[in-house]
Structures are given as structure tokens and as C-alpha cells.
């Protein structure tokens, strides 16, 4: 394709508009909507992998747009009523197809690259953990856009109708929705009786990834490989539909996309644990004495270690030899609906925990770490956030207040919730403080054993009852 022909195609086709629409729509989602991609350690500007996965998630909407715009581009010759004239020229059909598809593919690639660059410029300023593990996620995302546009062009050429572009775009939305909501999900019940849904192999045919739950999870290599096979089949079918003319040839042109689906099914993993895997390099511990964070958050270690050591000292003074001896950032994956697991000798925390987020720094951070050590929380974990347990929050406030000598709500939630917590905690707090010091310590240790094993009611133990 000569440079002159390329300039004409960029000028006379929708190629440039396709790139502008994709880039502007993506930036509008990311900057104008207050969603999960704009908060916490998994914000799209916080870490490289989070940035790549959030931008891929936008393909839930952008991929159908690319399909529809491609179909509109595929109608161009039919709208101009020159299809028969073009078939009579000596220029090879594949050459004409490449001339039509090339500019749109280039602009979509450039638009997605610019989107990633906007995120990358902010990630550089927010992390000290550079790596290239995110790059395959973004490259496959760009290939999804290109493949969608080429397939849309082929469909537009094969089915020349004014209704083809909107129908193709709606079919794309329906496909991505089904992959996210029903066909691509397996519904199960956890050991604790909570119904959840997990992605299955079909969901990986969708261009969108699941929501980002933490900064340590990435996409496995087998997912990348299976998706590339599926996309190559999609591109081959789209290009073939741009070239062929007869009805029989159009049917045969569907072979690559069907083969792509079948071959990708043989490569894509079946278990969710093999689709989204732990980035072990990102979770390597970086320590300052007894306080460790992950390599991903190593920039926060210096400030965190000061308050961590202070919290450990206060806990040792209050609990004696039952006190925890180290603090570590929690990197254990917690599937939806699961009960978290804790240990008595190590305080596990996450930078997205409500208490840590609310405290940020200073004495409040020390109090938040003590709260995690005394009553870490046993509510089932969900990617959309954990539930609020009033009794558990009251027990946590009492136990933390016992270490620090004052009763303050430590829920990390709104003031209204804090008032309810104090109302619930005050009678038990007064009863506990009326006991001799040795009995207070015995109740606290019994309560902490219940709270860290998630086997009983911590507030009942503090009130002098037996654990359930």
C-alpha cells in the first residue's frame, strides 16, 4: 500500500474517526466515572498490571464499537455503487482488502497505545516497581480491537445493508454481556453457603477481563495464547469476507473463526485459579525489621515501618508473650465468598483495608494496625467489598481501646456507624475494665484466639460468654 493510497484512505475513510471515538470514549469512562478503577491500590494509574487490566476491561464497550465501525467501513464500496467496477480492475482483491483494513487497524492500534501511554505516564509517578509483565495484556487488547474492526468490515462487505453496522455492534454488546453475566460464568456455592459466580473458559473469548481485585493478580500465559489463536481466526475470517464474492466462498470464509474458537478452547485454562494467577515477583517481601510490605508497595515501607514497630511495641506491652511479632502485607488470594485466614503471631494487612485507608499515617495508622492485630475480621470476602458486622466492629474497638487505654470506634467507616459501634461497645468496655488486670488479659487472649481463628463471636467472649 503506497503512501499516496494510505493518505487517501485516511482522508476518505472512517479510519481516523474510529481511533478518535475509541480513545475519547475510553478516556471519558476513566476520568468522568467514579468507579473501582479510580480508587485504592488497584486504580488504573497506581500499578502497571492494574493499568493494563483496567484498560482491557473497557473493551467490554469498545470492542462492539470497533465491530460496528468496521461494518460501516465495509459498506463503503456498496454505498458508492462501485463494487462491480472494482471487481473488474486488475488489482488483486486481497490488495484492495488490505487497503481498506490497514488504515483502520493502524488508527485503532494508535488509539489504544495512546490510552495506555496516558495511564503509563501516571503509573510511573506512583510506583517504584517497574516490570514488563503487563505488556502482553495490553498487546492482546489492541489485537482484539483490530480483529473486531476487520471482522466488522468483512461482515459489512458480505451483508451490505444499512442495518448491518448497528446490528453488528449490538451483537458485540450481547456477546460481551453474555460472557460476563451468564454463559461465561459458573455459579457455585462456597463452603460457607454463599452463592458466587466464577469465570469459566468461555468468558476468556470476551475482550474484557474481570475486575481488578488486587495489585498482585495477573493473566496467565495460556490465556494470552488461547486468545491470540481466537483473534487470528477472527482476523482471517474478516479479511476473507473482504476478498470473496460468491455465497459459497463466504460460507467457507467462516472456517478460520470457527477453527479459532475450537483451537482456543483446547488451550484456554478451565479453572479460574489458572486464568488469573499470582504475580510472584510482585509479592516478594521487602522488609524493615519486623515490618514487611510487597515489592509492589515498597515505596510505602519507610513510613509504614515506623508505625508498625510502634504498634508491635504497644501490643507486646499489653499482651506479653501472646503478642504478634511481625507485620506483613497480605498477599493470599481470597476468592469471592471465602472466609479470610489469620495467624496470631503475624499481623496481616492490606493497603486497601478500610482501617488502613482511613488512617493513612500518624497515630491513626498505629491504631489501625493494632485493630487488625486484635480483631482482623471474619466477614466473607467479596471483590465488591466486605460486609459490615456491628458486633465484630464493637469487639475490635474494645480490644484496641484496651491496648491503648481509651475507647474509640475503629471501624474505618462513617461517623453514623461509629456511633452505633460505641453504643454497642460501651457496656462491655465498662464491664471489662471493672475486672482485675489478670482476668482482663485472660478475656482478651480468649477473644483474640476466637477472632484470629474465625471460630466464634469475639464480642460474646469479651462480655464473659463462651465462644460459639
Amino acid at each position: 500500500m503506497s503512501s499516496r493510497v494510505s493518505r487517501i484512505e485516511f482522508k476518505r475513510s472512517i479510519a481516523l474517526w474510529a481511533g478518535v471515538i475509541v480513545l475519547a470514549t475510553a478516556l471519558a469512562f476513566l476520568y468522568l466515572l467514579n468507579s473501582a478503577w479510580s480508587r485504592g491500590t488497584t486504580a488504573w494509574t497506581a500499578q502497571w498490571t492494574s493499568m493494563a487490566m483496567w484498560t482491557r476491561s473497557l473493551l467490554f464497550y469498545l470492542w462492539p464499537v470497533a465491530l460496528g465501525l468496521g461494518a460501516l467501513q465495509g459498506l463503503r464500496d456498496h454505498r458508492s455503487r462501485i463494487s462491480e467496477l472494482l471487481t473488474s480492475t486488475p488489482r488483486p482483491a486481497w490488495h484492495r482488502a488490505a487497503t481498506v483494513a490497514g488504515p483502520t487497524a493502524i488508527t485503532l492500534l494508535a488509539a489504544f497505545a495512546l490510552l495506555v501511554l496516558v495511564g503509563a505516564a501516571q503509573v510511573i509517578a506512583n510506583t517504584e516497581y517497574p516490570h514488563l509483565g503487563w505488556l502482553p495484556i495490553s498487546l492482546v487488547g489492541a489485537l482484539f480491537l483490530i480483529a473486531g474492526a476487520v471482522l466488522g468490515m468483512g461482515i459489512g462487505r458480505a451483508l451490505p445493508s444499512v442495518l448491518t453496522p448497528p446490528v453488528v455492534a449490538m451483537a458485540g454488546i450481547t456477546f460481551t454481556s453474555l460472557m460476563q453475566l451468564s454463559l461465561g460464568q459458573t455459579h457455585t456455592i462456597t463452603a460457607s453457603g454463599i452463592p458466587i459466580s466464577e469465570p469459566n473458559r468461555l468468558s476468556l473469548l470476551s475482550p474484557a477481563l474481570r475486575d481488578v481485585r488486587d495489585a498482585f493478580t495477573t493473566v496467565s500465559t495460556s490465556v494470552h495464547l488461547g486468545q491470540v489463536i481466537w483473534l487470528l481466526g477472527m482476523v482471517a475470517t474478516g479479511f476473507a469476507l473482504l476478498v470473496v464474492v460468491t455465497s459459497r466462498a463466504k460460507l467457507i470464509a467462516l472456517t478460520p473463526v470457527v477453527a479459532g474458537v475450537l483451537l482456543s478452547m483446547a488451550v484456554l485454562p478451565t479453572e479460574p485459579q489458572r486464568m488469573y494467577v499470582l504475580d510472584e515477583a510482585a509479592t516478594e517481601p521487602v522488609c524493615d525489621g519486623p515490618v514487611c510490605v510487597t515489592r509492589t508497595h515498597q515505596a510505602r515501607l519507610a513510613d509504614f515501618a515506623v508505625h508498625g514497630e510502634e504498634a508491635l511495641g504497644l501490643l507486646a506491652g499489653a499482651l506479653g508473650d501472646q503478642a504478634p511479632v511481625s507485620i506483613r502485607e497480605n498477599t493470599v488470594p481470597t476468592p469471592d465468598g471465602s472466609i479470610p485466614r489469620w495467624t496470631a503471631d503475624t499481623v496481616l494487612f492490606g493497603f486497601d483495608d478500610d482501617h488502613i485507608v482511613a488512617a493513612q499515617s500518624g497515630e491513626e495508622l498505629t491504631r489501625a494496625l493494632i485493630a487488625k492485630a486484635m480483631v482482623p475480621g471474619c466477614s466473607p470476602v467479596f471483590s465488591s467489598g466486605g460486609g459490615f458486622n456491628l458486633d465484630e466492629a464493637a469487639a475490635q474497638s474494645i480490644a484496641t481501646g484496651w491496648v491503648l487505654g481509651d475507647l474509640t470506634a475503629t471501624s474505618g467507616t462513617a461517623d453514623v456507624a461509629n456511633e452505633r459501634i460505641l453504643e454497642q461497645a460501651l457496656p462491655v468496655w465498662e464491664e471489662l475494665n471493672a475486672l482485675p488486670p489478670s482476668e482482663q488479659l485472660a478475656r482478651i487472649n480468649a477473644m483474640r484466639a476466637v477472632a484470629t481463628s474465625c471460630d466464634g463471636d469475639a464480642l460474646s467472649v469479651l462480655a464473659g460468654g463462651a465462644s460459639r
Side-chain angles (χ1 to χ4, degrees):
M1 187 167 57
S2 68
S3 59
R4 180 171 174 274
V5 173
S6 297
R7 286 197 300 273
I8 293 173
E9 281 294 328
F10 279 116
K11 186 177 179 181
R12 299 294 178 87
S13 73
I14 65 163
L16 288 177
W17 283 110
V20 170
I21 290 171
V22 166
L23 180 60
T25 305
L27 291 176
F29 268 108
L30 292 171
Y31 283 110
L32 299 181
L33 295 182
N34 181 20
S35 189
W37 53 62
S38 58
R39 296 192 291 268
T41 60
T42 57
W44 79 291
T45 57
Q47 298 291 337
W48 290 102
T49 302
S50 301
M51 181 270 293
M53 292 182 70
W54 278 125
T55 49
R56 271 290 298 276
S57 296
L58 294 179
L59 296 187
F60 182 93
Y61 310 99
L62 299 180
W63 186 72
V65 170
L67 267 174
L69 291 172
L72 186 61
Q73 174 73 357
L75 288 177
R76 185 181 61 173
D77 293 346
H78 176 75
R79 290 198 309 269
S80 304
R81 303 176 186 236
I82 57 173
S83 299
E84 291 183 356
L85 177 62
L86 290 174
T87 57
S88 67
T89 64
R91 196 177 181 188
W94 69 266
H95 198 177
R96 293 198 304 272
T99 301
V100 172
T104 303
I106 291 171
T107 53
L108 287 174
L109 176 63
F112 197 73
L114 280 173
L115 175 66
V116 171
L117 283 174
V118 171
Q122 298 170 87
V123 171
I124 289 174
N126 291 330
T127 183
E128 293 183 0
Y129 173 50
H131 65 94
L132 293 177
W134 59 275
L135 197 54
I137 301 173
S138 293
L139 289 176
V140 174
L143 185 55
F144 257 110
L145 279 178
I146 293 171
V150 174
L151 180 63
M153 288 180 209
I155 296 173
R157 178 69 64 86
L159 302 171
S161 166
V162 69
L163 296 178
T164 300
V167 170
V168 167
M170 287 304 299
I173 283 283
T174 303
F175 174 77
T176 55
S177 299
L178 289 175
M179 293 301 104
Q180 294 283 335
L181 300 177
S182 54
L183 289 181
Q185 301 293 312
T186 300
H187 300 283
T188 58
I189 297 178
T190 66
S192 52
I194 299 173
I196 61 169
S197 63
E198 294 181 314
N200 59 33
R201 188 164 43 180
L202 279 178
S203 71
L204 299 176
L205 296 179
S206 169
L209 299 173
R210 77 176 188 185
D211 289 349
V212 186
R213 301 182 179 185
D214 56 59
F216 317 121
T217 300
T218 187
V219 183
S220 68
T221 302
S222 56
V223 171
H224 296 317
L225 181 60
Q227 289 183 332
V228 167
I229 292 172
W230 148 237
L231 292 174
L232 290 178
M234 194 186 301
V235 170
T237 288
F239 196 80
L241 289 174
L242 280 172
V243 173
V244 299
V245 176
T246 65
S247 298
R248 182 181 179 185
K250 291 175 182 176
L251 286 176
I252 295 174
L254 300 178
T255 303
V257 73
V258 175
V261 171
L262 296 177
L263 289 174
S264 64
M265 286 293 105
V267 174
L268 291 170
T270 55
E271 299 85 11
Q273 296 79 11
R274 292 175 55 216
M275 300 173 188
Y276 299 95
V277 297
L278 197 65
D279 183 347
E280 295 184 358
T283 60
E284 287 180 0
V286 181
C287 300
D288 183 347
V291 181
C292 298
V293 299
T294 61
R295 193 177 171 196
T296 302
H297 298 130
Q298 58 188 339
R300 305 178 68 169
L301 177 60
D303 179 61
F304 207 80
V306 173
H307 300 286
E309 292 189 23
E310 183 182 5
L312 288 176
L314 291 167
L315 287 165
L319 299 174
D321 58 2
Q322 298 295 314
V325 295
S326 63
I327 296 177
R328 287 178 175 270
E329 186 177 357
N330 194 357
T331 60
V332 178
T334 48
D336 270 354
S338 63
I339 303 296
R341 296 183 178 182
W342 311 107
T343 62
D345 59 348
T346 300
V347 183
L348 297 175
F349 76 97
F351 283 107
D352 286 327
D353 290 347
D354 289 342
H355 302 81
I356 305 299
V357 172
Q360 293 292 333
S361 61
E363 293 182 1
E364 289 302 314
L365 182 54
T366 302
R367 177 181 285 273
L369 289 171
I370 293 173
K372 289 292 291 183
M374 299 301 285
V375 183
C378 295
S379 297
V381 176
F382 291 96
S383 56
S384 56
F388 176 70
N389 186 317
L390 180 60
D391 286 354
E392 193 172 73
Q396 189 178 59
S397 299
I398 294 167
T400 306
W402 182 81
V403 174
L404 295 174
D406 67 316
L407 178 62
T408 302
T410 56
S411 68
T413 57
D415 291 341
V416 175
N418 287 341
E419 291 176 6
R420 292 172 58 203
I421 292 169
L422 290 176
E423 183 179 348
Q424 184 86 346
L426 190 57
V428 181
W429 166 261
E430 292 175 345
E431 179 186 337
L432 178 68
N433 280 276
L435 297 174
S438 60
E439 293 187 25
Q440 291 183 30
L441 180 59
R443 279 199 189 183
I444 288 290
N445 283 334
M447 181 281 303
R448 191 159 175 266
V450 168
T452 54
S453 65
C454 292
D455 185 21
D457 187 338
L459 185 62
S460 295
V461 176
L462 280 177
S467 63
R468 289 181 296 184

